[in-house]
Amino acid sequence: MTQIFAGIRIIDLTQGMAGPLVTMILADYGAEVIRLEPPGGDPMWEHPAYLLWQRGKKSVALDWNSAEGRAQARKLLAGADIFIESLRPGEAAALGLGYDDAAAANPALIHYSLSAFGQTGPYSRLKAYDGIVNAKSGRMRDQIGWQGLRPTFRAINDVSYHSAMFAVQALVAALRVRAETGRGQKLEGTLLSGVSAPNNNWRLFDGQEIPPDLYPGELSKEDVARGILTADRHESDPYTANPSQICPETKDGRWIMHSHIQQDLFEAWIKTIGFEWIWQDARFKDAPRIAVDEDRIALNLMIFERFREKTADEWREIYRRNPDCAGETMQTTQEALQHEQFRINGHVVAVDDPRAGRMEQLGAFAKMSETPAAIGRPAPEPGRHTAEVLAEAPRAAPRIIPKGGNPQRPLEGITVLECASWLAAPFSGALLADLGARVIKVEPLTGDPYRRMPTNENMIRAFQGKQNLSIDLKSERGLALFYELVRQSDIVMHNYRPGVPERLKIDYETLKAIKPDLVYVYAGSYGSKGPDRFRAAFNPTMGAFSGNSVFQSGEGNRPKGDQSPDPIAGSGVGTGMALGLAARVLTGKGQYIETSMMVSNVYCNSDDAFAYAGKPPRRVPDKAQLGLEATYRLYRAKDGWVFIAARFDDEFRQLCAALGLDDLPSDPRFADWKSRMADKAALSALLEPVFLTRTADEWERDLLARDIACVRADKASHLRFLYEDPQPQAIGFMTMTRSPEFADKAPDGKYWRHAPVVRFSQTPCVVGLPYEGQGAHTRQILQGLGYDDTAIDGLARDRVIGLPDR
């Protein structure tokens, strides 16, 4: 079958997780990816995840110190479609690979530059480590943990994951612009944008003061209810948990994470576990919102006792018979890879690797009916294809015959119908709206239930930038109006459970008959097959399934719920829609596509989403949740905390020299990365007293001056960082907008929001699209279909559509 990116050549000069994950996905869907081994080699080849992230690519090793080697790299760029690099600002130009020079020889080239904090500003030279970006931006200060009142290491790879998703979406948008105009352009992404995507506090109204910086355990219940910061819920502790998000232990010692934030789902769960009697008890009749702590604790203790009566597998079978129960067993990513639901949906592939032998690996990112992924070639040995690639005759620059359009925005002219609720799937629509797509949020007359949480910042983030249509799809006239919109649209995306689209008559086959080249995306929870396909899923339950929660919680600790899976899934839905759009642009094919919360979140854990005989165990945070290894962790300083990132051998030697510990690199226990991992406790014990001798600011200043990645981790909350730190200001990370929905919060409803996550040199994104209310654009949308005000008012009277109050 046709592959999306067949004939597209990509030159990859990236390191770590984010860049390689981008090019792995593109290679899975047919791109020819030529990986250039970076100057000095890439020590990340020692990480077993490179066997996954580098699959399907060619590897070329050049002599970067020679004029000949740099000329060979320029020759490859001259015939490429895409160049993606994660070099620090200025380094590509120093190698002769800057955009201006490359574009002069190849005007169709799309150059994507991925940095830690951006191309300008005081932190532009910091190394692109997730840990450094999380620590410096205040994310570790805000991270919940078992220790409390100090920074906690953020283990989950969501920074790199989101950055990769944003890059795929942006590259597809740039290819689409190129198809219209014949021109390439320069794109700039940051790991900092990956920090902004998860559930972080970010919104500030015009004139509002930034609240005092508090650690999660210091927050009042009122602050938590307003969504000021992710609460430190301790879901596995009956004395602190809320009954709607609770994680009890089972008979066999497993833990099941629940999330029932919809009242109807909570009531269904209460019935399923045999607790219907609580509605007749005055103490519990308002559950899960129980005002008296003693009563909440009493109910939790009884629920915990109930769950000890059955094993985790027994509860799972009960939940499969009662799919409104949103509960999932806490498990590792390795267990997720073996889970029957994951495998039934085809998310595991076999690859024969010359080093590891037969491997099972995480499969394709999205299931596509017409342009499926083709995965089979293993990761290359470094430099394996050098002679083959360099022996090729010079390739001419790609010759693009423009279609004649002249889009001013990356996705200008693309219309998306979003039939989705809550956070995960709608977040994807907000991302595409920033890229210039017209995204119409289709809601029932009762509205998206997430709107009932008006102070929740994640709801605002996911809903802003869209046109809002309130319509009854269960009525014949409402459905007819929807079909009219389908004829004018490019993408339809929904997150209904299986069977619902067919009942509503908005399934793929029905809509394909109306619009044959439609891109139709099902943004599911567990996929469309298997025993869990009908089950409800929310943020923390998919964190339990994918391994997020167990990984983040620290070695030997009870698991904590993780609140990042919804945005992770949302970024994945955005990528699924982008892949579908790429297929239509490059091959002319519309098709049916599936993404799922399940696969997106395992992709976020792809550093462990593979198996082979002799595979090393996953590198996990220590019990104190300080970090992954002795030179990639938090350290207490004289007056605060710093985060250090010096994983590789040359970085370790630099660090030891700066600390006056010159003998350590020659110690056999610490001679290489693998040894330092094995003896991380011993090395940490040697480094801890050294970091106590100076202040956090002194360590940051002096170690950064030596190009050693070290930043203070407790200076400010993420919110304060966004608005008071000079780096976000230098790159225009936040932007002012206004919404009538917030007229009671600030003059003219003005508030700050995130700017678009990727910069385009020729077709900039739309900046500052606001949040607006339910049905705010219903009249405007129907006028675009040719209806006049009299007809629209009649439809509203008949409850076919909903109009906002005037």
Side-chain angles (χ1 to χ4, degrees):
M1 298 181 80
T2 305
Q3 285 202 277
I4 302 172
F5 301 108
I8 297 293
R9 172 173 274 201
I10 300 172
I11 307 302
D12 177 5
L13 183 48
T14 63
Q15 184 178 19
M17 174 180 173
L21 188 60
V22 172
T23 52
M24 183 199 84
I25 291 171
L26 298 178
D28 286 350
Y29 290 96
E32 179 193 22
V33 177
I34 299 175
R35 172 180 165 77
L36 302 184
E37 299 300 327
D42 188 349
M44 276 295 294
W45 278 109
E46 294 185 32
H47 197 300
Y50 257 34
L51 298 180
L52 170 64
W53 295 334
Q54 305 297 356
R55 74 182 177 202
K57 306 174 189 177
K58 298 176 180 179
S59 174
V60 173
L62 302 178
D63 179 5
W64 294 101
N65 293 318
S66 72
E68 180 185 15
R70 294 190 291 273
Q72 290 166 336
R74 289 193 294 273
K75 170 187 166 185
L76 290 173
L77 291 191
D81 296 277
I82 294 172
F83 175 40
I84 177 170
E85 44 87 4
S86 59
L87 301 169
R88 288 191 276 183
E91 291 183 345
L95 293 170
L97 307 179
Y99 174 68
D100 290 340
D101 290 338
N106 180 0
L109 181 69
I110 298 166
H111 179 159
Y112 193 99
S113 182
L114 177 61
S115 63
F117 286 95
Q119 300 296 309
T120 59
Y123 311 151
S124 61
R125 295 288 299 168
L126 265 61
K127 294 180 179 179
Y129 280 112
D130 286 24
I132 290 294
V133 180
N134 273 325
K136 189 63 179 174
S137 68
R139 181 94 180 282
M140 290 190 191
R141 196 189 191 285
D142 293 348
Q143 175 65 45
I144 63 171
W146 285 108
Q147 309 304 315
L149 305 183
R150 67 152 172 85
T152 295
F153 175 67
R154 176 67 180 174
I156 297 167
N157 304 306
D158 47 359
V159 169
S160 278
Y161 167 85
H162 285 294
S163 300
M165 297 299 107
F166 300 158
V168 173
Q169 294 158 26
L171 288 168
V172 166
L175 285 168
R176 186 249 175 180
V177 170
R178 192 181 76 162
E180 295 290 334
T181 67
R183 301 191 311 267
Q185 57 185 308
K186 175 74 179 295
L187 314 181
E188 295 176 1
T190 68
L191 293 182
L192 182 60
S193 292
V195 177
S196 78
N199 296 353
N200 291 327
N201 53 320
W202 57 267
R203 185 178 46 169
L204 196 69
F205 292 109
D206 189 25
Q208 179 186 4
E209 291 187 5
I210 297 174
D213 291 345
L214 297 173
Y215 285 104
E218 298 178 288
L219 289 173
S220 69
K221 290 182 179 179
E222 292 76 17
D223 288 340
V224 171
R226 286 199 299 270
I228 285 180
L229 192 66
T230 301
D232 200 353
R233 295 182 180 90
H234 293 295
E235 300 94 342
S236 54
D237 183 349
Y239 293 90
T240 59
N242 183 294
S244 67
Q245 295 205 23
I246 197 168
C247 186
E249 189 176 14
T250 62
K251 182 178 181 179
D252 54 343
R254 303 299 297 266
W255 300 82
I256 300 180
M257 182 69 223
H258 296 84
S259 183
H260 297 104
I261 55 178
Q262 284 185 218
Q263 185 67 27
D264 58 335
L265 298 186
F266 181 76
E267 292 174 5
W269 176 63
I270 286 294
K271 179 180 179 180
T272 298
I273 67 173
F275 269 44
E276 282 183 291
W277 58 265
I278 69 170
W279 308 124
Q280 280 70 54
D281 191 315
R283 298 173 298 167
F284 311 133
K285 63 183 179 61
D286 295 324
R289 300 165 188 84
I290 300 176
V292 179
D293 273 351
E294 289 78 5
D295 296 341
R296 174 184 57 80
I297 293 167
L299 178 58
N300 285 346
L301 287 170
M302 288 186 280
I303 291 173
F304 269 62
E305 188 62 30
R306 175 78 173 105
F307 271 78
R308 293 189 187 99
E309 297 174 8
K310 299 182 185 296
T311 67
D313 285 348
E314 288 171 335
W315 282 115
R316 182 175 65 184
E317 292 307 314
I318 290 171
Y319 287 175
R320 284 174 170 172
R321 296 193 297 271
N322 298 273
D324 283 346
C325 295
E328 194 58 71
T329 304
M330 291 283 193
Q331 63 183 6
T332 65
T333 301
Q334 285 290 298
E335 291 175 307
L337 203 66
Q338 300 302 321
H339 196 286
E340 63 176 313
Q341 184 67 22
F342 201 73
R343 300 177 85 87
I344 286 172
N345 278 276
H347 296 318
V348 179
V349 297
V351 174
D352 289 314
D353 186 272
R355 290 144 296 193
R358 190 72 165 175
M359 291 184 71
E360 287 196 330
Q361 295 185 355
L362 176 61
F365 188 83
K367 297 167 71 174
M368 307 184 72
S369 63
E370 300 299 320
T371 58
I375 300 169
R377 288 194 296 124
E381 295 177 352
R384 167 71 176 78
H385 302 93
T386 304
E388 170 193 335
V389 171
L390 296 184
E392 293 178 352
R395 283 199 178 198
R399 191 161 173 264
I400 309 299
I401 301 174
K403 296 180 180 179
N406 188 30
Q408 302 302 298
R409 309 293 186 189
L411 292 183
E412 182 180 290
I414 297 298
T415 297
V416 179
L417 296 182
E418 176 194 292
C419 305
S421 59
W422 290 101
L423 172 56
F427 179 56
S428 68
L431 293 172
L432 267 61
D434 282 354
L435 288 167
R438 180 194 187 201
V439 179
I440 300 175
K441 181 173 178 60
V442 181
E443 297 180 70
L445 301 188
T446 54
D448 188 322
Y450 206 10
R451 287 195 191 268
R452 297 166 200 162
M453 304 172 70
T455 61
N456 189 289
E457 296 183 9
N458 301 305
M459 185 272 287
I460 304 303
R461 181 80 191 279
F463 287 17
Q464 63 194 5
K466 304 173 186 178
Q467 295 183 1
N468 298 307
L469 171 67
S470 187
I471 189 168
D472 180 10
L473 292 180
K474 295 179 181 179
S475 70
E476 287 188 13
R477 287 190 289 169
L479 188 60
L481 290 171
F482 182 77
Y483 288 165
E484 288 187 56
L485 287 172
V486 170
R487 291 186 183 95
Q488 300 180 5
S489 298
D490 302 279
I491 301 171
V492 171
M493 181 270 290
H494 76 83
N495 67 349
Y496 296 117
R497 291 193 233 183
V500 174
E502 287 77 10
R503 291 198 298 273
L504 291 175
K505 299 179 182 178
I506 63 168
D507 57 286
Y508 175 59
E509 293 301 328
T510 298
L511 299 191
K512 178 184 176 183
I514 297 170
K515 174 80 169 177
D517 64 347
L518 183 71
V519 175
Y520 185 98
V521 179
Y522 169 42
S525 296
Y526 290 94
S528 60
K529 299 178 180 179
D532 295 317
R533 66 189 182 280
F534 297 113
R535 293 187 56 209
F538 288 91
N539 236 344
T541 60
M542 203 50 66
F545 180 97
S546 64
N548 274 14
S549 298
V550 170
F551 184 45
Q552 177 61 46
S553 297
E555 194 170 18
N557 292 324
R558 280 185 297 167
K560 272 181 175 287
D562 177 60
Q563 297 293 325
S564 63
D566 269 348
I568 289 169
S571 288
V573 176
T575 295
M577 288 194 285
L579 291 171
L581 183 60
R584 203 178 75 164
V585 168
L586 298 173
T587 73
K589 294 176 181 289
Q591 60 189 303
Y592 174 86
I593 300 169
E594 278 189 26
T595 67
S596 70
M597 291 185 74
M598 181 173 64
V599 76
S600 293
N601 277 273
V602 174
Y603 256 78
C604 187
N605 289 273
S606 56
D607 63 305
D608 196 42
F610 51 92
Y612 58 88
K615 173 188 173 295
R618 190 180 195 180
R619 305 168 188 209
V620 298
D622 59 302
K623 187 174 181 64
Q625 295 179 284
L626 294 170
L628 294 180
E629 52 195 90
T631 54
Y632 195 76
R633 56 158 279 187
L634 290 156
Y635 281 97
R636 186 188 293 276
K638 182 186 287 187
D639 70 339
W641 290 83
V642 295
F643 184 83
I644 190 80
R647 312 178 87 171
F648 307 137
D649 293 350
D650 58 340
E651 295 173 329
F652 181 61
R653 286 190 293 270
Q654 286 178 288
L655 175 65
C656 290
L659 301 182
L661 302 172
D662 301 82
D663 56 328
L664 286 188
S666 61
D667 188 319
R669 296 175 299 170
F670 315 131
D672 55 38
W673 190 14
K674 183 177 180 180
S675 300
R676 290 190 294 276
M677 280 295 304
D679 278 309
K680 62 181 180 180
L683 182 54
S684 293
L686 293 171
L687 297 180
E688 285 171 353
V690 178
F691 281 103
L692 286 170
T693 62
R694 307 183 72 189
T695 69
D697 287 337
E698 289 170 340
W699 282 122
E700 177 177 301
R701 180 196 65 207
D702 294 342
L703 292 182
L704 287 180
R706 292 171 174 251
D707 201 26
I708 298 166
C710 173
V711 296
R712 184 171 178 177
D714 63 345
K715 184 175 182 179
S717 66
H718 184 61
L719 182 67
R720 191 171 300 279
F721 169 84
L722 291 176
Y723 294 105
E724 294 186 354
D725 194 279
Q727 183 61 38
Q729 297 175 25
I731 61 174
F733 198 72
M734 307 299 290
T735 187
M736 179 73 79
T737 188
R738 65 186 65 191
S739 170
E741 299 296 314
F742 302 138
D744 61 333
K745 303 292 185 183
D748 203 23
K750 291 181 179 178
Y751 73 101
W752 291 89
R753 56 149 287 175
H754 293 94
V757 294
V758 176
R759 290 188 174 187
F760 289 67
S761 64
Q762 301 299 317
T763 54
C765 293
V766 185
V767 177
L769 291 171
Y771 168 85
E772 298 192 61
Q774 178 188 342
H777 305 90
T778 299
R779 185 178 297 274
Q780 174 188 337
I781 292 168
L782 294 190
Q783 287 172 342
L785 293 176
Y787 292 82
D788 60 23
D789 285 341
T790 301
I792 292 170
D793 291 338
L795 289 166
R797 282 194 304 271
D798 294 344
R799 303 287 294 162
V800 176
I801 61 170
L803 296 174
D805 295 333
R806 292 185 177 179

